[in-house]
Amino acid sequence: MKTKSKNKTGFVYLIGAGPGDPGLLTVKGCECIAKADVILYDYLAHPGLLGYASRDAELIYAGKVGGAHNREQWQINEMLVGKALAGNVVVRLKGGDPFVFGRGGEECEALVAAGIPFEIVPGVTAGIGAPAYAGIPLTHRDYTTSVAFVTGHESYGKEASGIDWERLSLGDGTLVFYMGIRNLPQITANLLAHGRAPETPVALIRWGTRPEQEVLTGTLADIADKARKAAFKPPAITIIGEVVNLREKLRWFDNRPLFGKGVLVTRATDQAGEFSRLLSGSGARVFECPTISITSPESHEDLDRAMGSLERFDWLIFTSYNAVKYFFRRLHSLELDSRALAPCRVCAVGPKTAAALSVFGIRADLIPADYKAEGVVAAFSALDVAGKRALFPRADRARDVITAGLGALGMDVEAPVAYRNSLPDGLPHDIIEALEGGRIHCAAFTSSSTVENLAAMVGENRLIHLLEGVAIAAIGPVTSRSCRELGLRVDVEPAEHTIEALTTEIIRHFSGGLPG
Ligand code: SAH
């Protein structure tokens, strides 16, 4: 825990987490999460947002107690007050906007009563976010001049409704109902009874802005029936008004090429981000599964010796981002820097490796056209390298192609271990569940070790079974071969061995072979 000054009252940030897409959190909300000692979060707040929290922040799920009942509002208020009085910076993370049907007002009143200072950080409310991602503008000059946000959670018993149905039903104003799915038959009946036209278009948006977004459209006359037949479930927002028809023209999110497809990404944890972003940018729901954990080698002895006299080498060969990262980390801890590389020419395999080098001010002299180990040997065979010395900082379990191939060209290669590839402990439970539940449609492998490790983590037979009916995408022929050796069929392999090309090829696969 961060040091807290005794006798100091804490502070509460009431933050809107946005409707689902984690990118819809505000910059200010993100900054507050990062400095929180305690975070109380809701069922509707995207769990990914907790990734911005500091390592030792206390995370409290305020949604349910014992998995069944809602935590009472007074219990949440009490916990907020208690944690703040103990001197903590507390974040209360609520779905959408805290002041729109979120009981944020009540939580705030409790803070005022206890004399605790607070700030409200607004969020994108579901009533704004979900229609935007469904391609429905809430207002449009040609159709409507007003919008109303209405609760659909009223009790529709005998007592008089607090909703002015007559005013809502008159005119052409767009209506946005929160929490209205269970009461949809009563809501539509009330609007019809008070004069809204039966042909008024209606859209139900479930899990809006998330990769699992579902939209059901109909009219005031038939939507309740359609929702019942489709067993349409909460959480969903109901949009009523002529603007709903614009979706046909303005739809952009749920018609992207990989929308509705679950893709398993198997990468070293610190590299998964970029590939995941590419996939989710195309609409995929990404399941990240670390199959490699990259760590420092047990001993740095060989690497240190080489680094102590880099002038002995004519060439330095980097075949991965991690090789660059761990090489320079060690170089710096020996109190050396990029200038130590001055006597050597540098070979980088793949544009990502070259980019990693450029961060340290190094421009690669040689970037083989083909990113495989064989490509490195081919590139060197075009040069006059007999008798030259090369340093090749490598992973502990690297293939021997480069050392052997360059040796055959007459080069003298030293290949100290710069980093280790090891196995994480097992497969996350939610991934097994998603595989078994058919929610993963593609598994993407970006190196032989990712697929080999996955097999080692779950067992070969189990893996074959789990990936039955799942399209398998491999970044290149070496990875494909590893897949086949494990008894897996390969469905997708790009001609260029980059994550960009792999993404394009996955899109092509799911668009029925048409160019992405
Ligand atoms: N404070 C929240 C609303 C909480 S009330 C906000 O501003 O969005 C809970 C209701 O919000 C749900 O019943 C549903 O109607 C709506 N909702 C929340 N997230 C949603 C989402 N991603 N898609 C559709 N509706 C959502």
Side-chain angles (χ1 to χ4, degrees):
M1 292 290 260
K2 290 173 196 154
T3 34
K4 282 170 252 157
S5 47
K6 280 250 154 52
N7 306 324
K8 192 170 171 265
T9 312
F11 200 94
V12 175
Y13 293 99
L14 214 58
I15 299 179
D21 178 345
L24 294 177
L25 176 73
T26 62
V27 174
K28 185 165 185 185
C30 184
E31 286 167 1
C32 295
I33 292 175
K35 65 185 174 196
D37 301 309
V38 181
I39 300 178
L40 269 105
Y41 63 101
D42 260 4
Y43 154 67
L44 287 171
H46 193 282
L49 299 181
L50 300 175
Y52 297 122
S54 95
R55 239 172 230 265
D56 39 29
E58 183 186 359
L59 307 178
I60 303 170
Y61 181 50
K64 309 242 169 88
V65 168
H69 303 290
N70 281 328
R71 201 181 277 249
E72 298 282 350
Q73 188 61 46
W74 65 265
Q75 289 178 301
I76 296 175
N77 296 355
E78 218 161 65
M79 192 175 294
L80 270 179
V81 169
K83 291 287 179 190
L85 287 178
N88 292 295
V89 172
V90 183
V91 157
R92 173 73 175 110
L93 192 59
K94 300 173 74 73
D97 179 87
F99 276 5
V100 179
F101 301 124
R103 306 189 73 167
E106 291 159 62
E107 294 178 15
C108 242
E109 284 172 327
L111 297 174
V112 171
I116 293 162
F118 63 88
E119 268 186 38
I120 311 295
V121 183
V124 177
T125 184
I128 301 277
Y133 276 53
I136 302 171
L138 290 180
T139 70
H140 187 293
R141 289 208 308 179
D142 296 344
Y143 304 102
T144 176
T145 50
S146 68
V147 194
F149 287 175
V150 190
T151 172
H153 194 51
E154 280 235 322
S155 56
Y156 284 80
K158 292 203 184 82
E159 26 352 325
S161 168
I163 295 174
D164 187 343
W165 290 103
E166 190 149 359
R167 272 174 78 170
L168 286 181
S169 305
L170 290 174
D172 58 6
T174 306
L175 305 179
V176 178
F177 280 89
Y178 287 68
M179 305 168 282
I181 296 305
R182 289 201 185 90
N183 287 331
L184 202 57
Q186 290 89 329
I187 291 171
T188 50
N190 274 334
L191 291 169
L192 289 169
H194 289 87
R196 263 285 164 122
E199 58 279 5
T200 308
V202 181
L204 310 182
I205 309 164
R206 176 168 197 258
W207 284 127
T209 79
R210 297 203 184 204
E212 54 269 51
Q213 172 174 301
E214 276 175 61
V215 180
L216 182 68
T217 53
T219 64
L220 211 45
D222 67 16
I223 194 71
D225 215 33
K226 278 185 160 179
R228 185 180 47 80
K229 287 195 181 118
F232 202 87
K233 291 195 180 58
I237 212 105
T238 305
I239 317 284
I240 300 171
E242 292 303 321
V243 286
V244 166
N245 282 340
L246 288 164
R247 167 170 160 82
E248 227 169 285
K249 218 185 332 175
L250 303 184
R251 200 174 158 178
W252 61 274
F253 175 68
D254 47 14
N255 57 356
R256 291 179 304 170
L258 294 179
F259 186 80
K261 301 287 179 233
V263 181
L264 182 70
V265 173
T266 54
R267 294 203 65 146
T269 353
D270 60 351
Q271 293 181 343
E274 206 186 334
F275 190 28
S276 297
R277 263 192 299 281
L278 281 171
L279 290 165
S280 43
S282 299
R285 179 172 185 190
V286 178
F287 293 82
E288 275 182 8
C289 167
T291 53
I292 300 180
S293 120
I294 308 280
T295 48
S296 296
E298 268 165 24
S299 155
H300 281 108
E301 206 178 306
D302 294 345
L303 189 61
D304 287 359
R305 191 171 339 101
M307 283 181 176
S309 54
L310 285 174
E311 66 285 353
R312 286 194 290 126
F313 300 101
D314 304 290
W315 281 97
L316 247 169
I317 303 169
F318 294 100
T319 57
S320 72
Y321 162 88
N322 280 314
V324 174
K325 176 174 157 182
Y326 281 84
F327 180 87
F328 278 89
R329 187 182 279 183
R330 189 63 192 166
L331 192 72
H332 294 159
S333 69
L334 296 180
E335 300 191 341
L336 295 167
D337 62 26
S338 301
R339 288 170 295 179
L341 277 66
C344 315
R345 301 185 76 197
V346 176
C347 167
V349 182
K352 293 278 135 55
T353 310
L357 278 167
S358 71
V359 170
F360 297 103
I362 306 290
R363 287 181 58 167
D365 301 286
L366 180 64
I367 304 179
D370 180 350
Y371 309 150
K372 297 190 301 288
E374 288 79 357
V376 179
V377 179
F380 274 100
S381 68
L383 306 172
D384 180 18
V385 290
K388 302 278 189 217
R389 307 186 71 142
L391 177 64
F392 168 37
R394 62 176 177 92
D396 57 340
R397 296 194 290 162
R399 295 184 308 136
D400 204 24
V401 176
I402 292 183
T403 341
L406 297 184
L409 295 176
M411 282 183 104
D412 181 4
V413 184
E414 256 178 60
V417 174
Y419 63 98
R420 275 193 303 163
N421 283 335
S422 49
L423 280 187
D425 312 325
L427 207 57
H429 194 64
D430 56 327
I431 292 196
I432 300 261
E433 262 179 19
L435 280 167
E436 285 174 341
R439 278 174 286 131
I440 292 180
H441 307 87
C442 174
F445 297 111
T446 49
S447 71
S448 290
S449 50
T450 56
V451 61
E452 284 159 5
N453 287 9
L454 193 63
M457 283 158 67
V458 294
E460 277 183 34
N461 288 337
R462 179 103 198 278
L463 183 65
I464 292 172
H465 174 70
L466 282 173
L467 294 184
E468 242 165 52
V470 173
I472 293 179
I475 198 162
V478 178
T479 308
S480 290
R481 196 188 317 131
S482 302
C483 289
R484 292 194 187 98
E485 278 167 12
L486 288 162
L488 299 168
R489 152 212 92 252
V490 176
D491 304 286
V492 177
E493 187 196 291
E496 192 195 349
H497 315 314
T498 60
I499 50 174
E500 288 82 2
L502 183 57
T503 307
T504 307
E505 218 46 45
I506 292 172
I507 292 172
R508 200 194 305 268
H509 176 83
F510 284 108
S511 351
L514 298 170

